[in-house]
Structures are given as structure tokens and as C-alpha cells.
Amino acid sequence: QALLVESGGGLVQPGESLRLSCVASGFTFSNYAIGWFRQAPGKEREFVAVIGWNPTDMHYSNSVMRGRVTVSRWDAVNTVYLQLTDLKPEDTAAYYCAAARSIGEVTSRLEGNYDFWGQGTQVTVYS
């Protein structure tokens, strides 16, 4: 059974950083691209970043957290990381990771491209 578990969220002040983790099990992690999305209260879920099975293949949202997020992966421990920096109150959201068999600059932005989803980790930025 495929499983993705996010962690690392929390309550932070503006300007601080967080590193989110997504740990996978139950499928061949190295064959999958892992994407990150976020969903704020009352808003639709939006794409943040994706990293392919080739760790040099990654795409970022042009509008969400531009220049303030970095995605990486460590296949030895089945984990993808999302480093968030210079956090702002508008970054408050639940952050989700998801696994997909394919990666593309356009397709990776679409929720339908993903096969498995985690339950999310909450990031709250308060001033």
C-alpha cells in the first residue's frame, strides 16, 4: 500500500524558515516524481514544486513562493524535502506531497497527474 507522510510544519513568525519532509513507502520511490502542493483555508490547492526521479529535473511554480522554496530528494531514505524560506503570513496553508510516474513542466502542475497523496502538514505564519 502506497503511503506518503509529510512532516515539518509548524507555527513560525514572518521571515523564518521551515523544512518539510515527505517520506514514502509501499512503492518504488526512485521511479516516481514527487510534487508539493499547498491549500490555504477557503482556497483551491495550488502547485508549489516538483522533483523528478532524476534529482536535477525540477520545476517550480512561477507565482507561489517564487525564489523562496527549494525541493530536493534523498532516495536512500525515500524522502523528498521542501525548504521554505522567508515565510510570510500568506504562506499559511496545509502542504501536501504527491507521487507521479511522469514529470513535465505543464503536467506536474495538475493534481490529476499524481497517483498518491499524503495527508498534509500545516504551516502557520503569524505576525
Side-chain angles (χ1 to χ4, degrees):
Q1 178 181 355
L3 187 66
L4 296 170
V5 179
E6 303 94 334
S7 64
L11 189 63
V12 297
Q13 293 186 320
E16 293 186 342
S17 299
L18 282 174
R19 188 178 76 162
L20 308 183
S21 299
C22 172
V23 179
S25 61
F27 62 99
T28 306
F29 178 74
S30 58
N31 289 348
Y32 280 76
I34 303 296
W36 286 93
F37 290 74
R38 72 179 189 182
Q39 187 168 23
K43 296 187 177 181
E44 294 187 351
R45 193 150 51 183
E46 55 186 356
F47 171 76
V48 179
V50 64
I51 186 166
W53 46 88
N54 179 343
T56 65
D57 189 5
M58 59 190 75
H59 303 283
Y60 294 93
S61 170
N62 293 324
S63 58
V64 177
M65 303 189 76
R66 186 176 179 86
R68 299 188 291 118
V69 59
T70 304
V71 63
S72 60
R73 66 187 295 158
W74 188 6
D75 285 2
V77 293
N78 284 6
T79 302
V80 168
Y81 304 99
L82 190 70
Q83 180 72 39
L84 310 176
T85 60
D86 190 22
L87 284 160
K88 305 177 186 302
E90 54 264 39
D91 297 320
T92 295
Y95 285 72
Y96 299 88
C97 64
R101 290 300 306 270
S102 64
I103 183 172
E105 187 168 355
V106 174
T107 56
S108 289
R109 287 161 166 74
L110 305 175
E111 293 182 42
N113 189 54
Y114 295 85
D115 299 320
F116 316 123
W117 289 81
Q119 293 300 305
T121 185
Q122 179 67 36
V123 173
T124 302
V125 186
Y126 71 99
S127 57

